[in-house]
Amino acid sequence: HMYSMDEPFQTQLASFRKMQSLIEPGKPSLLAASYDVDHREFRQNKKGDFWEFQALTRAIAEPRDIMPDIYPIQPRVHYEPYAGEYFLQNVIDHQLTKYYRDSKEYSLENGKFYPIVQTFGYWNGQRWYSWTLPPKATQKALLMLPFCYGADGQYHYQLQGAVNSANNSGYLAPLVGIDSKKIEHNPYTYDVVKELNPRILGIGTELKSWEWLGASTVMMRSNYPELEFSKTPIRKLRVKQACNGLYEGYIETGLYQNAKGETAIFAVNRRSNYFVYGRKHKHPDFTPLEQYDNAYKEFEPQTLIIELGHAHRNATVLDHETGKSYSAKNGKVSVPLAAGEGKLLKIVK
């Protein structure tokens, strides 16, 4: 690929389309991140209609390959349901997965879908500013979520940040440049990315030969949006109610099928971290990295219930990575998922 101007604004989108049209067939395609950090809206016409920026990018730039860089973990995000629009799960719904779904559906008729995943935060010495470093289980979920939406690849932003040691301000990423003199690991993020990258590569390689059919958020009694299961062995997906946390549900699922007619689900447990208020960590926005282990805890695992159709009620579900099989009982298969964990599950006879 060739990378154009980073995060073009509205005035550069038509130029992107023009540059793209000049590339000869067979040459590397043009890429540009679709900036949407504030989910801005732009006037479309004199009637007062507006476009949100991701739709604006698709409509004007018409990129062959779409590359949204949406970093949802920002100041004001809270980990309790009473936070309304700033509740973590609502933020993921309205500021991340919505755009993943739109981008994937666009790419089906145009090119490839390459999301850029947040692996950083900006600490100004006293608080998180602009972006908050995701806690570990949340970071895992962010890295795995693109598979629910049939991503053709993914990028991480950013690999290396820069920090001023005088007040510890700067971008905290897997690698950190200290005073522009030396580079150190930030184990909190580096270890998560290092652990998951080989898995992401393996899962992505496997899914290249599978067709993405759709994605849905699974709750205890419903899914949103509903998926069409009529051509699969699945009748229903649900989260088993366990009454073991501030809230339950939010297992993201992507549905796949291959040329043999086999069905697979990629599932991510979005119920990742909760915040523990304390004297040194009174609010997520003001909690420094050195307090993260005390401030952020992981929810207990949840169980995804795969209810099979009558003709497939004795099928088995196979974990692609570990080879572990889950047998059906009364036509239902139970698969545990740790906080932030993702699993590629194949349904086999």
Side-chain angles (χ1 to χ4, degrees):
H1 298 280
M2 295 184 292
Y3 197 77
S4 73
M5 175 184 176
D6 188 42
E7 298 177 336
F9 289 95
Q10 183 178 11
T11 51
Q12 285 100 32
L13 296 178
S15 297
F16 178 95
R17 185 178 69 242
K18 179 63 175 178
M19 290 173 59
Q20 182 175 249
S21 71
L22 298 175
I23 298 174
E24 297 176 1
K27 301 295 184 182
S29 63
L30 193 64
L31 283 178
S34 304
Y35 187 62
D36 193 35
V37 65
D38 292 320
H39 312 285
R40 296 158 297 165
E41 294 179 335
F42 292 80
R43 185 176 295 277
Q44 180 180 358
N45 55 36
K46 292 182 179 180
K47 298 178 182 179
D49 296 329
F50 285 83
W51 269 327
E52 49 86 10
F53 193 67
Q54 290 289 329
L56 188 76
T57 299
R58 294 191 294 269
I60 297 179
E62 298 180 358
R64 294 191 183 99
D65 299 326
I66 192 79
M67 196 180 193
D69 61 336
I70 302 168
Y71 311 133
I73 312 304
Q74 304 173 23
R76 296 190 298 179
V77 168
H78 284 266
Y79 293 78
E80 301 85 14
Y82 61 75
E85 66 178 300
Y86 299 115
F87 171 42
L88 172 66
Q89 303 302 341
N90 289 337
V91 169
I92 290 175
D93 280 345
H94 301 303
Q95 299 184 12
L96 187 68
T97 57
K98 173 187 183 298
Y99 298 106
Y100 278 4
R101 179 179 286 105
D102 290 347
S103 296
K104 179 59 182 180
E105 290 174 350
Y106 171 88
S107 74
L108 292 175
E109 298 181 359
N110 294 276
K112 302 294 185 181
F113 166 43
Y114 298 121
I116 304 175
V117 179
Q118 178 181 359
T119 58
F120 77 102
Y122 183 82
W123 179 258
N124 73 359
Q126 297 181 320
R127 61 169 296 163
W128 295 105
Y129 182 80
S130 298
W131 299 280
T132 305
L133 189 72
K136 285 184 179 178
T138 303
Q139 181 70 82
K140 290 181 180 180
L142 292 178
L143 289 166
M144 288 294 192
L145 274 173
F147 286 127
C148 295
Y149 291 86
D152 296 289
Q154 67 169 265
Y155 295 83
H156 305 338
Y157 187 83
Q158 51 184 304
L159 173 63
Q160 180 185 323
V163 169
N164 182 343
S165 64
N167 60 2
N168 292 321
S169 66
Y171 287 93
L172 292 172
L175 300 176
V176 177
I178 309 297
D179 300 328
S180 300
K181 295 179 180 179
K182 60 179 180 178
I183 298 174
E184 296 181 352
H185 295 93
N186 166 18
Y188 193 88
T189 307
Y190 180 88
D191 290 350
V192 174
V193 173
K194 182 180 179 181
E195 173 195 344
L196 291 192
N197 269 1
R199 294 183 57 200
I200 290 170
L201 179 60
I203 293 167
T205 300
E206 171 64 22
L207 287 177
K208 278 184 174 293
S209 60
W210 293 70
E211 179 187 3
W212 179 79
L213 302 179
S216 181
T217 306
V218 181
M219 305 297 283
M220 279 82 72
R221 297 179 180 85
S222 63
N223 303 347
Y224 62 93
E226 293 290 342
L227 283 175
E228 175 56 58
F229 293 126
S230 61
K231 296 181 180 180
T232 77
I234 302 169
R235 179 175 175 271
K236 186 187 298 183
L237 296 175
R238 290 291 184 267
V239 176
K240 181 179 180 180
Q241 188 168 7
C243 302
N244 62 356
L246 293 170
Y247 65 93
E248 297 179 79
Y250 298 100
I251 291 181
E252 202 75 6
T253 56
L255 185 64
Y256 289 85
Q257 202 161 61
N258 65 13
K260 300 177 182 178
E262 297 170 328
T263 300
I265 302 165
F266 192 84
V268 179
N269 183 6
R270 282 171 38 183
R271 191 182 78 151
S272 51
N273 292 101
Y274 60 93
F275 187 80
V276 179
Y277 293 88
R279 186 171 60 85
K280 295 183 178 180
H281 35 93
K282 297 179 180 179
H283 189 284
D285 291 1
F286 299 93
T287 299
L289 179 58
E290 55 266 26
Q291 289 296 326
Y292 263 41
D293 286 338
N294 296 321
Y296 291 101
K297 303 299 180 183
E298 295 184 4
F299 280 104
E300 293 182 31
Q302 294 195 109
T303 300
L304 175 66
I305 304 296
I306 304 171
E307 187 172 332
L308 302 168
H310 182 75
H312 304 276
R313 58 185 294 105
N314 295 317
T316 297
V317 171
L318 182 68
D319 185 323
H320 168 71
E321 292 183 276
T322 66
K324 180 178 175 59
S325 60
Y326 300 89
S327 300
K329 184 176 181 180
N330 297 324
K332 298 179 181 180
V333 180
S334 299
V335 181
L337 288 162
E341 179 61 289
K343 291 183 178 180
L344 176 56
L345 304 168
K346 298 178 178 178
I347 300 177
V348 297
K349 295 180 180 180

